[in-house]
Every structure is written in structure tokens, then in C-alpha cells.
Amino acid sequence: MVRLDKINKYYRVGAHSLHVLRDVDLEIEPGEMVSIMGASGSGKSTLLNVLGILDGYERGEYWLDGTLMRDLNERKAAHYRNKFLGFVFQSFNLLPFKTAAENVALPLYYQKVPRRKRNRIAMQYLERVGLLDWAEHLPSEMSGGQKQRVAIARALIGKPRLILADEPTGALDSETSHQIMDLLTEIHQTGITMIVVTHEHDVAARTQRVIHLKDGRVEADP
């Protein structure tokens, strides 16, 4: 599903060049659930941005489902993101002025799905994450766990083959974190490949494989 060969990523900081990812090799099979751990500044979020086609890279190769992801214009990048990827963020990234149902339906809006159809599908996905009764509520009226469930439903609605979750439990208490990981595990069991960036060992323990990053390198990959 995912293969990285000697990926290198630099950021320009003033007159200096910061080497953030260093010769990263990584292979993730279809249907795997993998976590990425590492200290702050180890390159976890940068790696996720490269995997999510949100950021480019300077050297190496990134293959997604057998297609090389390199030098894509924004239209092509958006095409591959819509076709393959779903995103779940620590800060939920919900639009505050839209209801739960409208937030979930948003990816279908960009895919030009008619309004009535996308709203009907959004309700199905809210039901899947246990939030059908909250369809007309705004994010400000929901708890952190509820907002993350809405975000997961939004990630699922485009039927992604790979979900990228960046600290999905980082803003939640331990009990709610456990419930969100139960939900992500249940989703993974339907065959969706999942990559979870986390600093929490109990979250990583729920995944099949833990990859450790240190100073932009893969330090351990069992």
C-alpha cells in the first residue's frame, strides 16, 4: 500500500536548511494498522504530511498503491488524496459554523455529489460512529470525543483505503481515548489500512506494529 525509499525532506529556516527526514525507508502492507512514535521534533508530523501528499520531499521515492507520488501539481495531489486517503487530526479540524452532518458531508461536496445524496450518506456515517442524534448540532455543542467521532465519520465518507491519524487521542481524556481507539480498531478490521502518529504508549500498543522515529530517521521498525 505504502512504500518509502530513502525519503529526505528539508525545511528552509532563514538562511539555513533543516534536514527533517533522513533516508526514511518504510513499507506498510494493505490492511495493516501501524503507529509512529518519537519525541517532539523527530519528524512524525512531517512524515505524515508526506504520506498525506500535503507536503513534497527532496530525495527518494514515495509509492502509494504502486504509483509514484512526486512533483504532483495541486490538482493531481487532490485527486490522489480524494481517491485513497482519509485524515483524522488531534484538533478535529471541524468547521465551527457547520453542523455535524454538514462537516461529515464536506468531502462529498468537493466530489460534486448532489446535496440531498451527500446529506443522506452523511447520516449513515454519523450512525456508524454512534452520533446520529447529534447530526444537527454544531461542534461547539459537542464534547471532544464527539467531535473526534464526527471527524472520523468525515474521514470515512470518501471510502478511503488509507487513514492517516495525527495524535487522534491527544486532546482527549483517557476513557474517551480508549473509546476512540476502539472505534479506529473496529474500522481497521473492515480492511482499511491505518497509520496513527501518537506519543501515547497505550495507543501504540493497540496497533499491529510500532515504528520509532528519532532525529528524522527510522530508529526501530519490527
PDB file of all heavy atoms in Angstrom, residues 3 8 26 31-32 45 48 66 78 91-92 119 125 130 135 144 147 163 168 175 183 216 221:
ATOM      1  N   ARG A   3       5.032   2.578   0.218  1.00  0.00           N
ATOM      2  CA  ARG A   3       6.463   2.266   0.251  1.00  0.00           C
ATOM      3  C   ARG A   3       7.276   3.549   0.133  1.00  0.00           C
ATOM      4  O   ARG A   3       7.072   4.339  -0.801  1.00  0.00           O
ATOM      5  CB  ARG A   3       6.839   1.312  -0.882  1.00  0.00           C
ATOM      6  CG  ARG A   3       8.241   0.733  -0.687  1.00  0.00           C
ATOM      7  CD  ARG A   3       8.603  -0.301  -1.737  1.00  0.00           C
ATOM      8  NE  ARG A   3       9.304   0.319  -2.852  1.00  0.00           N
ATOM      9  CZ  ARG A   3       8.931   0.259  -4.113  1.00  0.00           C
ATOM     10  NH1 ARG A   3       7.836  -0.398  -4.442  1.00  0.00           N
ATOM     11  NH2 ARG A   3       9.622   0.846  -5.059  1.00  0.00           N
ATOM     12  N   ASN A   8      13.999  11.924   1.851  1.00  0.00           N
ATOM     13  CA  ASN A   8      14.651  13.031   2.537  1.00  0.00           C
ATOM     14  C   ASN A   8      13.816  14.285   2.370  1.00  0.00           C
ATOM     15  O   ASN A   8      13.318  14.581   1.274  1.00  0.00           O
ATOM     16  CB  ASN A   8      16.051  13.279   1.954  1.00  0.00           C
ATOM     17  CG  ASN A   8      17.052  12.239   2.422  1.00  0.00           C
ATOM     18  OD1 ASN A   8      17.770  12.436   3.394  1.00  0.00           O
ATOM     19  ND2 ASN A   8      17.096  11.103   1.723  1.00  0.00           N
ATOM     20  N   LEU A  26      10.320   2.763   4.510  1.00  0.00           N
ATOM     21  CA  LEU A  26       9.122   2.314   5.212  1.00  0.00           C
ATOM     22  C   LEU A  26       8.233   1.540   4.250  1.00  0.00           C
ATOM     23  O   LEU A  26       8.046   1.952   3.104  1.00  0.00           O
ATOM     24  CB  LEU A  26       8.361   3.540   5.738  1.00  0.00           C
ATOM     25  CG  LEU A  26       7.143   3.332   6.623  1.00  0.00           C
ATOM     26  CD1 LEU A  26       7.506   2.557   7.876  1.00  0.00           C
ATOM     27  CD2 LEU A  26       6.531   4.681   6.984  1.00  0.00           C
ATOM     28  N   GLY A  31      -4.122  -3.146   4.635  1.00  0.00           N
ATOM     29  CA  GLY A  31      -4.831  -3.712   5.775  1.00  0.00           C
ATOM     30  C   GLY A  31      -4.068  -3.677   7.085  1.00  0.00           C
ATOM     31  O   GLY A  31      -4.587  -4.090   8.120  1.00  0.00           O
ATOM     32  N   GLU A  32      -2.840  -3.149   7.093  1.00  0.00           N
ATOM     33  CA  GLU A  32      -2.069  -3.045   8.343  1.00  0.00           C
ATOM     34  C   GLU A  32      -2.549  -1.857   9.170  1.00  0.00           C
ATOM     35  O   GLU A  32      -3.052  -0.863   8.637  1.00  0.00           O
ATOM     36  CB  GLU A  32      -0.582  -2.848   8.035  1.00  0.00           C
ATOM     37  CG  GLU A  32       0.240  -4.115   8.075  1.00  0.00           C
ATOM     38  CD  GLU A  32       1.733  -3.826   8.161  1.00  0.00           C
ATOM     39  OE1 GLU A  32       2.300  -3.265   7.211  1.00  0.00           O
ATOM     40  OE2 GLU A  32       2.327  -4.180   9.191  1.00  0.00           O
ATOM     41  N   SER A  45       5.197  14.331  12.330  1.00  0.00           N
ATOM     42  CA  SER A  45       4.172  15.072  11.589  1.00  0.00           C
ATOM     43  C   SER A  45       4.609  15.355  10.159  1.00  0.00           C
ATOM     44  O   SER A  45       3.795  15.317   9.228  1.00  0.00           O
ATOM     45  CB  SER A  45       3.841  16.384  12.314  1.00  0.00           C
ATOM     46  OG  SER A  45       3.185  16.105  13.530  1.00  0.00           O
ATOM     47  N   LEU A  48       3.996  12.270   8.216  1.00  0.00           N
ATOM     48  CA  LEU A  48       2.565  12.116   7.931  1.00  0.00           C
ATOM     49  C   LEU A  48       2.128  13.067   6.811  1.00  0.00           C
ATOM     50  O   LEU A  48       1.308  12.701   5.967  1.00  0.00           O
ATOM     51  CB  LEU A  48       1.742  12.368   9.198  1.00  0.00           C
ATOM     52  CG  LEU A  48       0.406  11.617   9.246  1.00  0.00           C
ATOM     53  CD1 LEU A  48       0.644  10.123   9.393  1.00  0.00           C
ATOM     54  CD2 LEU A  48      -0.464  12.109  10.382  1.00  0.00           C
ATOM     55  N   GLY A  66       1.337   1.516  -5.643  1.00  0.00           N
ATOM     56  CA  GLY A  66       2.045   1.256  -6.895  1.00  0.00           C
ATOM     57  C   GLY A  66       2.268   2.469  -7.773  1.00  0.00           C
ATOM     58  O   GLY A  66       2.854   2.352  -8.858  1.00  0.00           O
ATOM     59  N   ALA A  78      -4.635  16.512  -5.068  1.00  0.00           N
ATOM     60  CA  ALA A  78      -6.001  16.435  -4.541  1.00  0.00           C
ATOM     61  C   ALA A  78      -6.703  15.173  -5.056  1.00  0.00           C
ATOM     62  O   ALA A  78      -7.462  14.526  -4.317  1.00  0.00           O
ATOM     63  CB  ALA A  78      -6.788  17.679  -4.935  1.00  0.00           C
ATOM     64  N   SER A  91      -6.752  18.138  16.520  1.00  0.00           N
ATOM     65  CA  SER A  91      -7.598  19.309  16.770  1.00  0.00           C
ATOM     66  C   SER A  91      -8.944  19.223  16.049  1.00  0.00           C
ATOM     67  O   SER A  91      -9.656  20.218  15.948  1.00  0.00           O
ATOM     68  CB  SER A  91      -6.855  20.581  16.358  1.00  0.00           C
ATOM     69  OG  SER A  91      -6.440  20.482  15.002  1.00  0.00           O
ATOM     70  N   PHE A  92      -9.255  18.038  15.515  1.00  0.00           N
ATOM     71  CA  PHE A  92     -10.551  17.720  14.880  1.00  0.00           C
ATOM     72  C   PHE A  92     -10.740  18.398  13.510  1.00  0.00           C
ATOM     73  O   PHE A  92     -11.274  17.798  12.601  1.00  0.00           O
ATOM     74  CB  PHE A  92     -11.745  18.067  15.791  1.00  0.00           C
ATOM     75  CG  PHE A  92     -11.542  17.711  17.226  1.00  0.00           C
ATOM     76  CD1 PHE A  92     -11.683  18.681  18.224  1.00  0.00           C
ATOM     77  CD2 PHE A  92     -11.198  16.422  17.622  1.00  0.00           C
ATOM     78  CE1 PHE A  92     -11.488  18.364  19.561  1.00  0.00           C
ATOM     79  CE2 PHE A  92     -11.002  16.099  18.956  1.00  0.00           C
ATOM     80  CZ  PHE A  92     -11.149  17.069  19.929  1.00  0.00           C
ATOM     81  N   ASN A 119     -26.055  14.454   2.027  1.00  0.00           N
ATOM     82  CA  ASN A 119     -26.607  14.557   3.380  1.00  0.00           C
ATOM     83  C   ASN A 119     -27.131  13.210   3.857  1.00  0.00           C
ATOM     84  O   ASN A 119     -26.974  12.847   5.037  1.00  0.00           O
ATOM     85  CB  ASN A 119     -27.718  15.608   3.424  1.00  0.00           C
ATOM     86  CG  ASN A 119     -27.171  17.019   3.320  1.00  0.00           C
ATOM     87  OD1 ASN A 119     -25.965  17.242   3.480  1.00  0.00           O
ATOM     88  ND2 ASN A 119     -28.031  17.985   3.043  1.00  0.00           N
ATOM     89  N   TYR A 125     -23.081   7.655   7.996  1.00  0.00           N
ATOM     90  CA  TYR A 125     -21.775   7.587   8.655  1.00  0.00           C
ATOM     91  C   TYR A 125     -21.837   8.103  10.089  1.00  0.00           C
ATOM     92  O   TYR A 125     -21.107   7.605  10.964  1.00  0.00           O
ATOM     93  CB  TYR A 125     -20.723   8.328   7.818  1.00  0.00           C
ATOM     94  CG  TYR A 125     -20.210   7.453   6.692  1.00  0.00           C
ATOM     95  CD1 TYR A 125     -20.847   7.435   5.461  1.00  0.00           C
ATOM     96  CD2 TYR A 125     -19.129   6.600   6.883  1.00  0.00           C
ATOM     97  CE1 TYR A 125     -20.415   6.605   4.433  1.00  0.00           C
ATOM     98  CE2 TYR A 125     -18.684   5.774   5.864  1.00  0.00           C
ATOM     99  CZ  TYR A 125     -19.329   5.769   4.646  1.00  0.00           C
ATOM    100  OH  TYR A 125     -18.897   4.936   3.656  1.00  0.00           O
ATOM    101  N   GLY A 130     -22.032   6.318  15.973  1.00  0.00           N
ATOM    102  CA  GLY A 130     -22.873   6.470  17.156  1.00  0.00           C
ATOM    103  C   GLY A 130     -23.327   7.876  17.447  1.00  0.00           C
ATOM    104  O   GLY A 130     -23.613   8.213  18.609  1.00  0.00           O
ATOM    105  N   ALA A 135     -26.684  14.960  14.736  1.00  0.00           N
ATOM    106  CA  ALA A 135     -26.470  15.399  13.350  1.00  0.00           C
ATOM    107  C   ALA A 135     -26.621  16.895  13.163  1.00  0.00           C
ATOM    108  O   ALA A 135     -25.889  17.520  12.381  1.00  0.00           O
ATOM    109  CB  ALA A 135     -27.420  14.651  12.415  1.00  0.00           C
ATOM    110  N   GLY A 144     -15.205  16.672  23.279  1.00  0.00           N
ATOM    111  CA  GLY A 144     -14.045  16.333  22.451  1.00  0.00           C
ATOM    112  C   GLY A 144     -14.199  14.978  21.776  1.00  0.00           C
ATOM    113  O   GLY A 144     -13.887  14.821  20.595  1.00  0.00           O
ATOM    114  N   LYS A 147     -16.643  15.258  18.916  1.00  0.00           N
ATOM    115  CA  LYS A 147     -16.046  15.944  17.771  1.00  0.00           C
ATOM    116  C   LYS A 147     -15.097  15.007  17.006  1.00  0.00           C
ATOM    117  O   LYS A 147     -15.070  15.027  15.769  1.00  0.00           O
ATOM    118  CB  LYS A 147     -15.303  17.212  18.237  1.00  0.00           C
ATOM    119  CG  LYS A 147     -16.250  18.353  18.585  1.00  0.00           C
ATOM    120  CD  LYS A 147     -15.525  19.641  18.866  1.00  0.00           C
ATOM    121  CE  LYS A 147     -15.119  19.744  20.296  1.00  0.00           C
ATOM    122  NZ  LYS A 147     -14.766  21.138  20.689  1.00  0.00           N
ATOM    123  N   ILE A 163      -6.175   5.498   6.143  1.00  0.00           N
ATOM    124  CA  ILE A 163      -6.484   6.595   7.071  1.00  0.00           C
ATOM    125  C   ILE A 163      -5.202   7.007   7.781  1.00  0.00           C
ATOM    126  O   ILE A 163      -4.473   6.156   8.327  1.00  0.00           O
ATOM    127  CB  ILE A 163      -7.578   6.191   8.077  1.00  0.00           C
ATOM    128  CG1 ILE A 163      -8.948   6.167   7.379  1.00  0.00           C
ATOM    129  CG2 ILE A 163      -7.621   7.157   9.263  1.00  0.00           C
ATOM    130  CD1 ILE A 163     -10.111   5.841   8.273  1.00  0.00           C
ATOM    131  N   PRO A 168      -4.724  11.231  17.248  1.00  0.00           N
ATOM    132  CA  PRO A 168      -6.196  11.278  17.283  1.00  0.00           C
ATOM    133  C   PRO A 168      -6.778  11.308  18.683  1.00  0.00           C
ATOM    134  O   PRO A 168      -7.938  11.678  18.860  1.00  0.00           O
ATOM    135  CB  PRO A 168      -6.603   9.996  16.547  1.00  0.00           C
ATOM    136  CG  PRO A 168      -5.445   9.071  16.741  1.00  0.00           C
ATOM    137  CD  PRO A 168      -4.229   9.945  16.713  1.00  0.00           C
ATOM    138  N   GLU A 175     -10.396   7.807  29.186  1.00  0.00           N
ATOM    139  CA  GLU A 175     -11.546   6.951  28.883  1.00  0.00           C
ATOM    140  C   GLU A 175     -12.050   7.199  27.451  1.00  0.00           C
ATOM    141  O   GLU A 175     -12.327   6.256  26.704  1.00  0.00           O
ATOM    142  CB  GLU A 175     -12.690   7.208  29.876  1.00  0.00           C
ATOM    143  CG  GLU A 175     -13.883   6.277  29.660  1.00  0.00           C
ATOM    144  CD  GLU A 175     -15.033   6.546  30.630  1.00  0.00           C
ATOM    145  OE1 GLU A 175     -14.825   7.245  31.630  1.00  0.00           O
ATOM    146  OE2 GLU A 175     -16.137   6.048  30.349  1.00  0.00           O
ATOM    147  N   LEU A 183     -13.024   2.481  18.299  1.00  0.00           N
ATOM    148  CA  LEU A 183     -13.677   2.794  17.030  1.00  0.00           C
ATOM    149  C   LEU A 183     -12.693   2.657  15.861  1.00  0.00           C
ATOM    150  O   LEU A 183     -13.022   2.057  14.820  1.00  0.00           O
ATOM    151  CB  LEU A 183     -14.257   4.213  17.080  1.00  0.00           C
ATOM    152  CG  LEU A 183     -14.949   4.732  15.819  1.00  0.00           C
ATOM    153  CD1 LEU A 183     -16.102   3.823  15.404  1.00  0.00           C
ATOM    154  CD2 LEU A 183     -15.452   6.159  16.045  1.00  0.00           C
ATOM    155  N   GLY A 216      14.612  12.262  12.652  1.00  0.00           N
ATOM    156  CA  GLY A 216      14.287  12.130  11.241  1.00  0.00           C
ATOM    157  C   GLY A 216      14.621  10.790  10.612  1.00  0.00           C
ATOM    158  O   GLY A 216      14.458  10.608   9.404  1.00  0.00           O
ATOM    159  N   ASP A 221      11.875  -0.536  13.542  1.00  0.00           N
ATOM    160  CA  ASP A 221      10.709  -0.943  12.779  1.00  0.00           C
ATOM    161  C   ASP A 221      10.689  -2.471  12.780  1.00  0.00           C
ATOM    162  O   ASP A 221      11.353  -3.106  11.972  1.00  0.00           O
ATOM    163  CB  ASP A 221      10.785  -0.404  11.342  1.00  0.00           C
ATOM    164  CG  ASP A 221       9.571  -0.801  10.505  1.00  0.00           C
ATOM    165  OD1 ASP A 221       8.628  -1.375  11.071  1.00  0.00           O
ATOM    166  OD2 ASP A 221       9.592  -0.536   9.300  1.00  0.00           O
TER     167      ASP A 221
END
